[in-house]
C-alpha cells in the first residue's frame, strides 16, 4: 500500500517535471514565416536621405539625414488568439529590431508564426521599460547603435535628424531624439494595424507571407500637436516635447500591402 | 525491497528530468565544457539584501572579475590612452579622486562633479550624483564617451580590445568564446566594481564584538545616530535617496542635480546621499567637492544651511546644535569607518 502511494506520487512528480522541461523547448507547431518590410516615406514618396527636400505642413523645409526607430513586442492577432513573434516575454535580443533607413538590411525581418488567418498586427514603437532598466544589452539594443542615453539611462525610441533653414540651432540642425519610459515621460506606443477585411493575413505552413508597412515622416509635425521647426528644432531628453512628438508619430504606420 | 527499487527508479527519473531542465539553461557558449569559476557574492551578516541582484543575469566568476579589473585599470579605454577608470577612482581614496574637487579628464579638462567613491555598489539602484544611470552595467558608458572624461567611442574601445593579445583569451575564460562586445565588456566591469564591498571597518568590528570604540568614538557614534543617521542610514551609511542638504548653489556650474534627470521642480538641488563609509579618505566632499575637511562639512550643518530653498530636506530645517567638543567626537567616529579591505586590498589593486 505504502509502496503504491510512493509510486504514484513519484510518477506524477516525474511526469510534471518532464512535461515542464519539455514545455520550455516548445516552438510554434506548423509554423509559417511572416516577413515584415518597412518602407519609410514622406507624404507617400520613398524617403531619400540627405538629398530629399521636404516641406512640413507649416511650410518649413527640411532634409533628413538619419531616421531610426525601435520595433519590439510584435504579435499577430486573430480574434482572441495571439501568436507571438518571439518567445514571450520578449527577452532575447532578436526580439528587438532597430529600423534604420541607412541600413537596407534593417528594413525587413522575419519570424515564425503559427499557421492560420490573422486580422491584425500589434507591436511596440520603442523598447519596453524592462529593457531600459536591465543593464547592458546586445543585438539591436547594443549601445553601439547610438540609441542609448548614457547620462540618463534609457533608449532613444525614435530618431529623426536633418537640417532645416527654419531651425534656429547651430548649423540649422534638426534633431529629434525621442525617448522616455517612465511615468508621465513615457513615450512608448503600442500600435495596432488592422489588415484589410477583404485581405486577411494568411500564414501557411512552410511558406512566407509578407507584410509591407509604410512609415510616413509627414505625421511627425501635427495631429494632435503642432511641431514647428522654428520653435522646436531639437528634442534630446524625455519630457513634454518628446511626448508631444511621440503622440504625433505613433500614427505614422499603415499597412501598405499584404503578399500572401 | 520492491518499494526501494520503485523509489530509486523514480529518483532517477526526477533527477534526469531536472538535469534536462538545467541543461536547457546552461549557456551554449560554454560548449567546450570549460565553465568559469563562479563566485558567490556574500552579503555581510545582518545587512539588508540588495534591492536587486546585480549578478542575477551576470553570474559572478573569478575570470569575469579579473577581466573587469584589467579593463578598470586599462588606459586604452580613453581616446588618448592616458586615462583609465582608476585615474579618477583611486583605490587608496576608496575609489574616489583623492584631494580633488573635480577630477582631470581628457586634455586637462575638469569634470563638473566630484568623483564618487566606489564600494557597496551592489546595494544601489541608481548611480551618479543625480541618479541618472539606472543600472551598474551601463554606468561606464557615461565616462567612457564623455568628451570631458575619456572621450572615446564604444567602437574604438572594442576595436582596441580585439587587437590585444590577452583580451580575447580573457573574454573566452569569462564568457565562453573569444567574442568581444560591449555587453560582455560592461558586464565584466560590473563584476569588478560590484564586488567591492566595504564591511570591515573598525565600526564593523566593534559591532561584531572584535574591537572597542574609544570614549570619544563612542560619544561620536551616539551623536551620529542622533543627528546623521536619518539620511546616512546604517549599515550602508546612506539611504541611497536624493536630498537637498541646503548648499548654496554654485552660480558657475548651476547644477540642479536630480531635477536634470526627472524634469521635476520638486527634485531641484537634490543629490544622492553619499555613504559615509571611508569618508576620511575620500575628501573633498559634496557633489562639487566644495568642502575640504569633515570639519567643514559639520560646520555647514551647524551654520551653513541655506534655509530658503523650497526643496530643502525636512530633516535639515532646524539647525544642528553641535558643540565644538561634539564636532571632534563625531570626526573620531567617522574615522572608524575607514576600511582597509577596500583601500589596501591587493584583490582590488592593479
Amino acid at each position: 500500500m505504502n509502496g503504491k502511494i510512493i509510486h504514484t506520487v513519484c510518477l506524477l512528480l516525474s511526469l510534471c517535471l518532464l512535461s515542464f522541461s519539455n514545455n520550455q523547448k516548445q516552438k510554434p507547431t506548423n509554423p509559417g514565416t511572416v516577413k515584415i518590410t518597412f518602407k519609410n516615406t514622406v507624404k507617400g514618396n520613398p524617403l531619400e536621405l540627405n538629398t530629399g527636400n521636404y516641406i512640413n505642413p507649416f511650410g518649413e523645409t527640411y532634409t533628413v539625414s538619419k531616421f531610426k526607430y525601435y520595433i519590439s513586442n510584435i504579435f499577430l492577432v486573430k480574434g482572441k488568439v495571439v501568436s507571438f513573434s518571439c518567445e514571450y516575454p520578449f527577452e532575447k535580443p532578436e526580439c528587438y529590431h532597430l529600423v534604420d533607413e541607412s541600413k537596407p538590411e534593417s528594413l525587413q525581418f522575419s519570424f515564425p508564426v503559427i499557421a492560420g488567418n490573422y486580422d491584425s498586427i500589434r507591436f511596440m514603437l520603442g523598447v519596453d521599460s524592462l529593457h531600459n532598466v536591465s543593464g547592458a544589452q546586445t543585438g539591436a539594443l547594443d549601445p553601439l547603435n547610438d540609441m542609448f542615453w548614457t547620462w540618463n539611462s534609457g533608449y532613444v525610441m525614435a530618431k529623426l535628424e536633418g537640417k532645416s533653414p527654419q531651425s534656429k540651432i547651430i548649423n540649422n540642425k534638426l534633431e529629434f531624439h525621442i525617448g522616455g519610459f517612465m511615468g508621465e515621460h513615457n513615450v512608448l506606443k503600442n500600435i495596432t494595424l488592422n489588415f484589410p477585411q477583404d485581405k486577411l493575413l494568411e500564414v501557411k505552413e512552410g511558406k512566407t507571407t509578407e507584410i509591407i508597412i509604410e512609415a510616413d515622416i509627414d505625421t511627425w509635425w501635427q495631429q494632435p500637436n503642432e511641431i514647428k521647426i522654428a520653435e522646436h528644432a531639437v528634442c534630446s531628453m524625455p519630457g513634454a516635447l518628446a511626448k508631444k512628438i511621440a503622440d504625433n508619430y505613433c500614427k505614422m504606420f499603415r499597412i501598405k500591402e499584404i503578399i500572401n | 525491497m520492491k518499494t526501494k527499487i520503485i523509489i530509486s527508479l523514480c529518483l532517477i527519473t526526477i533527477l534526469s528530468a531536472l538535469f534536462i531542465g538545467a541543461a536547457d539553461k546552461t549557456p551554449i557558449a560554454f560548449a567546450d565544457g570549460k565553465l568559469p569559476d563562479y563566485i558567490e557574492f556574500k552579503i555581510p551578516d545582518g545587512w539588508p539584501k540588495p534591492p536587486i541582484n546585480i549578478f542575477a543575469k551576470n553570474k559572478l566568476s573569478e575570470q569575469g572579475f579579473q577581466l573587469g579589473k584589467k579593463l578598470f585599470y586599462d588606459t586604452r579605454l580613453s581616446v588618448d590612452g592616458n586615462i583609465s577608470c582608476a585615474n579618477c577612482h583611486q583605490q587608496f581614496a576608496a575609489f574616489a579622486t583623492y584631494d580633488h574637487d573635480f577630477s582631470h579628464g581628457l586634455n586637462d579638462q575638469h569634470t563638473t562633479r566630484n568623483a564618487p567613491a566606489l564600494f557597496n555598489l551592489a546595494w544601489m539602484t541608481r548611480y551618479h550624483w543625480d541618479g541618472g544611470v539606472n543600472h551598474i552595467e551601463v554606468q561606464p558608458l557615461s565616462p567612457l564617451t564623455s568628451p570631458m572624461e575619456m572621450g572615446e567611442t564604444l567602437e574604438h574601445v572594442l576595436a582596441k580590445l580585439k587587437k590585444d593579445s590577452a583580451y580575447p583569451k580573457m573574454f573566452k575564460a569569462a564568457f565562453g568564446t573569444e567574442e568581444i562586445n560591449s555587453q560582455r565588456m560592461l558586464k565584466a566591469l560590473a563584476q569588478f566594481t560590484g564586488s567591492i564591498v566595504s564591511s570591515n571597518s573598525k565600526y564593523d568590528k566593534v559591532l561584531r564584538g572584535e574591537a572597542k570604540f574609544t570614549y570619544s568614538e563612542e560619544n561620536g557614534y551616539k551623536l551620529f545616530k542622533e543627528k546623521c543617521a536619518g539620511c546616512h542610514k546604517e549599515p550602508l551609511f546612506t539611504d541611497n535617496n536624493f536630498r537637498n542638504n541646503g548648499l548654496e548653489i554654485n552660480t558657475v556650474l548651476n547644477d540642479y542635480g536630480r531635477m536634470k534627470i526627472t524634469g521635476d521642480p520638486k527634485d531641484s538641488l537634490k543629490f544622492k546621499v553619499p555613504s559615509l563609509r571611508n569618508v576620511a579618505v575620500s575628501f573633498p566632499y559634496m557633489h562639487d567637492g566644495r568642502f575640504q575637511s569633515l570639519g567643514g562639512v559639520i560646520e555647514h550643518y551647524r551654520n551653513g544651511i541655506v534655509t530658503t530653498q523650497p526643496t530643502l530636506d525636512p530633516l535639515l530645517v532646524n539647525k544642528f546644535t553641535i558643540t565644538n567638543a561634539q564636532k571632534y567626537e563625531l570626526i573620531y567616529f567617522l574615522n572608524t569607518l575607514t576600511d582597509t579591505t577596500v583601500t589596501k586590498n591587493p584583490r582590488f589593486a592593479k
Side-chain angles (χ1 to χ4, degrees):
Chain A
M1 180 59 199
N2 210 2
K4 253 189 187 167
I5 294 171
I6 295 172
H7 182 255
T8 318
V9 170
C10 281
L11 196 71
L12 281 173
L13 204 61
S14 321
L15 278 173
C16 278
L17 282 168
L18 270 175
S19 66
F20 180 69
S21 54
N22 278 337
N23 256 343
Q24 293 181 325
K25 286 182 229 159
Q26 220 167 48
K27 290 238 164 81
T29 45
N30 311 323
T33 302
V34 166
K35 181 163 94 177
I36 301 186
T37 302
F38 283 91
K39 289 208 159 127
N40 298 322
T41 58
V42 186
K43 292 181 182 168
N45 299 314
L47 171 64
E48 287 173 36
L49 285 184
N50 302 311
T51 55
N53 277 296
Y54 304 109
I55 303 177
N56 75 4
F58 311 106
E60 298 172 307
T61 56
Y62 64 98
T63 57
V64 178
S65 55
K66 278 184 193 170
F67 188 52
K68 297 157 92 170
Y69 49 88
Y70 276 111
I71 298 293
S72 67
N73 295 260
I74 309 164
F75 53 97
L76 291 157
V77 181
K78 174 177 61 178
K80 283 182 182 170
V81 182
V82 165
S83 180
F84 293 108
S85 66
C86 211
E87 207 174 307
Y88 190 77
F90 303 112
E91 280 184 339
K92 292 187 175 156
E94 56 266 29
C95 304
Y96 296 81
H97 305 275
L98 178 59
V99 177
D100 179 349
E101 179 62 23
S102 71
K103 291 181 180 152
E105 70 279 8
S106 77
L107 300 175
Q108 53 180 229
F109 47 85
S110 306
F111 48 85
V113 169
I114 302 165
N117 290 352
Y118 294 90
D119 45 37
S120 64
I121 181 169
R122 296 184 194 180
F123 56 85
M124 179 179 278
L125 172 49
V127 177
D128 48 80
S129 57
L130 180 68
H131 283 81
N132 281 272
V133 299
S134 303
Q137 306 293 319
T138 189
L141 300 181
D142 194 317
L144 264 177
N145 294 321
D146 205 19
M147 292 289 275
F148 188 79
W149 277 317
T150 58
W151 53 278
N152 187 359
S153 306
Y155 285 93
V156 175
M157 310 301 177
K159 186 182 262 191
L160 172 69
E161 285 185 22
K163 286 193 174 193
S164 165
Q166 279 76 29
S167 163
K168 293 180 180 133
I169 309 301
I170 187 163
N171 292 339
N172 296 117
K173 275 195 206 189
L174 173 64
E175 209 172 84
F176 289 160
H177 298 176
I178 312 302
F181 60 92
M182 281 189 301
E184 54 174 348
H185 293 161
N186 188 336
V187 296
L188 295 173
K189 297 292 180 187
N190 289 306
I191 314 278
T192 299
L193 299 175
N194 293 318
F195 301 129
Q197 291 219 323
D198 56 342
K199 195 164 189 192
L200 294 180
L201 186 79
E202 293 168 24
V203 180
K204 297 188 191 92
E205 199 179 325
K207 295 216 164 123
T208 299
T209 309
E210 195 175 352
I211 307 171
I212 298 172
I213 298 175
E214 200 175 85
D216 202 295
I217 291 177
D218 197 47
T219 54
W220 282 54
W221 314 105
Q222 64 178 2
Q223 284 174 6
N225 305 306
E226 289 191 355
I227 305 294
K228 291 179 182 153
I229 298 172
E231 291 163 14
H232 303 291
V234 174
C235 179
S236 60
M237 59 172 84
L241 180 61
K243 274 211 69 154
K244 278 185 180 176
I245 296 173
D247 285 345
N248 290 353
Y249 74 43
C250 70
K251 296 186 298 302
M252 72 173 163
F253 299 105
R254 70 178 190 97
I255 301 283
K256 168 95 170 160
E257 203 182 346
I258 288 171
I259 306 167
N260 280 321
Chain B
M1 181 60 196
K2 207 176 159 194
T3 318
K4 267 189 185 166
I5 293 173
I6 294 167
I7 294 175
S8 324
L9 277 174
C10 285
L11 273 176
I12 291 168
T13 323
I14 293 169
L15 282 174
S16 55
L18 278 173
F19 183 71
I20 294 166
D24 273 347
K25 284 170 204 155
T26 309
I28 37 161
F30 295 103
D32 60 356
K34 247 193 134 183
L35 289 171
D37 304 307
Y38 291 121
I39 310 170
E40 190 201 344
F41 180 72
K42 289 197 186 77
I43 297 164
D45 287 343
W47 278 37
K49 245 176 86 175
I52 64 155
N53 177 4
I54 58 165
F55 299 120
K57 286 188 174 171
N58 181 21
K59 212 167 169 189
L60 187 59
S61 72
E62 183 58 26
Q63 287 80 355
F65 172 91
Q66 292 299 342
L67 172 59
K69 178 159 119 176
K70 186 175 166 68
L71 289 163
F72 187 86
Y73 286 102
D74 195 336
T75 54
R76 284 173 296 177
L77 263 59
S78 63
V79 69
D80 66 352
N82 282 328
I83 304 159
S84 72
C85 307
N87 278 43
C88 301
H89 298 286
Q90 302 162 311
Q91 187 184 10
F92 56 87
F95 295 98
T97 313
Y98 196 77
D99 196 19
H100 280 63
D101 48 1
F102 303 118
S103 311
H104 299 279
L106 197 62
N107 297 329
D108 275 334
Q109 294 176 92
H110 280 111
T111 55
T112 55
R113 284 183 185 150
N114 183 252
L118 307 182
F119 52 81
N120 300 344
L121 302 182
W123 281 265
M124 285 185 192
T125 54
R126 296 209 147 263
Y127 301 82
H128 289 185
W129 281 103
D130 58 19
V133 173
N134 66 20
H135 197 288
I136 188 171
E137 287 171 13
V138 293
Q139 192 285 330
L141 291 170
S142 188
L144 201 80
T145 58
S146 162
M148 283 187 299
E149 297 181 50
M150 296 159 95
E152 250 302 8
T153 63
L154 264 180
E155 286 94 329
H156 279 164
V157 169
L158 295 174
K160 282 187 264 186
L161 300 185
K162 282 173 190 167
K163 271 192 227 146
D164 184 79
S165 59
Y167 275 117
K169 290 188 195 93
M170 292 181 80
F171 273 79
K172 186 177 183 192
F175 298 111
T177 63
E178 290 194 353
E179 187 189 344
I180 294 177
N181 62 33
S182 72
Q183 187 183 42
R184 287 179 169 188
M185 179 183 81
L186 294 168
K187 280 185 184 289
L189 276 164
Q191 290 201 22
F192 173 66
T193 55
S195 293
I196 304 170
V197 174
S198 178
S199 65
N200 206 27
S201 62
K202 181 176 181 185
Y203 155 85
D204 297 293
K205 288 174 186 160
V206 170
L207 255 56
R208 295 197 298 257
E210 297 160 16
K212 275 202 167 134
F213 280 139
T214 63
Y215 175 75
S216 305
E217 289 165 353
E218 182 72 47
N219 284 342
Y221 182 37
K222 277 182 200 147
L223 191 71
F224 163 83
K225 284 199 279 194
E226 194 187 313
K227 306 276 187 194
C228 319
C231 306
H232 299 284
K233 204 174 148 199
E234 295 171 81
L236 295 164
F237 286 85
T238 170
D239 62 356
N240 282 325
N241 223 324
F242 300 90
R243 297 170 186 270
N244 174 0
N245 64 344
L247 296 169
E248 186 124 27
I249 188 149
N250 176 325
T251 49
V252 177
L253 295 169
N254 283 316
D255 189 346
Y256 288 89
R258 181 95 182 123
M259 187 172 79
K260 191 183 167 199
I261 300 303
T262 63
D264 188 343
K266 286 200 282 293
D267 289 330
S268 175
L269 299 169
K270 288 186 184 173
F271 293 89
K272 186 193 255 171
V273 176
S275 172
L276 296 184
R277 287 181 171 273
N278 301 298
V279 72
V281 296
S282 56
F283 70 99
Y285 307 108
M286 305 296 145
H287 64 276
D288 54 8
R290 70 176 66 187
F291 299 127
Q292 273 293 319
S293 66
L294 287 170
V297 175
I298 297 169
E299 208 44 49
H300 165 72
Y301 289 116
R302 279 211 302 201
N303 294 312
I305 294 174
V306 181
T307 49
T308 49
Q309 293 165 352
T311 57
L312 178 68
D313 200 90
L315 291 172
L316 299 176
V317 171
N318 297 316
K319 277 188 180 176
F320 282 56
T321 42
I322 300 174
T323 66
N324 280 344
Q326 283 176 321
K327 177 172 154 181
Y328 290 105
E329 285 172 339
L330 193 53
I331 293 171
Y332 278 122
F333 166 68
L334 293 173
N335 281 324
T336 72
L337 297 173
T338 302
D339 183 356
T340 53
T341 51
V342 170
T343 58
K344 290 186 179 163
N345 192 340
R347 182 160 173 77
F348 303 130
K350 189 174 180 177

